[in-house]
Amino acid sequence: NALSIGIEMGEPFRKGLLRAAGVEGTELDLSGKLGGDRPTVLKVVVELCSVLTECNVRGNQLDKESALMLAKVGTAKRVMLFGIKHDQTVADFQRQGLGPADAILIASDLSVSASSVTSVSLLANRFDDETVAMLLKLKEEKPNLTTLCGLKPDQAEADFSGWDLTPQDAKLLAPEILVHASVTSVNVLSNQLDVDSANLLLKVKAEKPNLRT
């Protein structure tokens, strides 16, 4: 078909797609705009990633498999996929109803961003255990990324009461509280934590003497 022939043509085809979309430069915003036959559309996005530095695909209800496929391409081609800029230092995604596929795309952007992003706020979304583990692993591999929870370096108190935090949020938050030197008070009341996540946070409190409450 036409797409297969175009893929075989390579870069001229990709640049032709950009011209047809009226794109000048190397940035394309496809947030909430992907329609048509999803497998075909995603193949086009993959091709576009070869001639772009930013291709925002946020808000398209991607499943995890599609997000992983795009993230693999984005990481290889050094293309941002979730709207984070290459020189951005802070990104706030807290309380935005994001899901596991979004977490995968965010992780891809953080990986591509080299050393620029130092702070990301991801609490109060709907990530699963797998994507939380992936984000925590990424943080370990990027020493410049100081927080996934939006904590400030000199912050003393953090009030997350009534944020609808989930057990997955507790897994993001606990290791940061443990090593954060200045935090002495954290409020996580009136959330959706379970017994295991509550015990995880209590364990952090027991291991950190200066955490009063």
Side-chain angles (χ1 to χ4, degrees):
N1 58 30
L3 178 58
S4 298
I5 294 172
I7 291 173
E8 291 178 4
M9 291 174 58
E11 190 160 335
F13 171 69
R14 298 165 190 147
K15 290 184 175 180
L17 287 174
L18 290 182
R19 285 195 299 270
V23 176
E24 296 182 3
T26 58
E27 301 177 10
L28 179 61
D29 184 4
L30 294 174
S31 55
K33 299 175 183 176
L34 296 184
D37 178 67
R38 185 53 59 94
T40 301
V41 170
L42 290 177
K43 287 180 181 178
V44 172
V45 173
V46 168
E47 291 301 307
L48 290 173
C49 283
S50 295
V51 288
L52 293 170
T53 60
E54 297 177 20
C55 185
N56 188 350
V57 294
R58 178 179 178 177
N60 285 293
Q61 299 182 332
L62 299 174
D63 57 25
K64 288 175 68 173
E65 182 180 0
S66 299
L68 285 168
M69 183 266 291
L70 290 176
K72 182 178 180 179
V73 175
T75 302
K77 301 292 185 181
R78 314 302 295 171
V79 180
M80 297 299 210
L81 297 171
F82 206 74
I84 298 176
K85 302 296 182 181
H86 280 275
D87 58 352
Q88 189 169 334
T89 59
V90 178
D92 184 1
F93 298 115
Q94 65 187 20
R95 308 176 85 170
Q96 296 187 16
L98 304 178
D102 299 306
I104 292 167
L105 297 175
I106 291 170
S108 176
D109 278 13
L110 294 177
S111 177
V112 170
S113 70
S115 61
S116 62
V117 177
T118 59
S119 172
V120 184
S121 303
L122 295 174
L123 293 180
N125 285 294
R126 291 296 178 262
F127 303 148
D128 58 16
D129 288 335
E130 183 180 14
T131 48
V132 165
M134 175 192 63
L135 289 164
L136 291 172
K137 183 175 184 294
L138 176 65
K139 184 175 181 292
E140 288 181 1
E141 296 170 350
K142 294 179 71 68
N144 58 292
L145 181 58
T146 60
T147 178
L148 296 173
C149 303
L151 296 177
K152 304 291 191 297
D154 58 350
Q155 188 169 342
E157 299 181 356
D159 185 0
F160 301 113
S161 58
W163 274 39
D164 290 328
L165 298 184
T166 65
Q168 289 73 30
D169 290 310
K171 291 179 179 180
L172 289 174
L173 189 58
E176 291 200 16
I177 296 173
L178 182 62
V179 300
H180 199 294
S182 62
V183 170
T184 59
S185 174
V186 181
N187 188 346
V188 291
L189 294 177
S190 301
N191 284 294
Q192 299 180 32
L193 306 180
D194 58 14
V195 173
D196 288 341
S197 53
N199 285 332
L200 175 64
L201 293 170
L202 288 172
K203 184 173 183 291
V204 169
K205 185 177 184 301
E207 295 176 2
K208 186 177 182 182
N210 67 318
L211 184 62
R212 301 190 312 270
T213 179

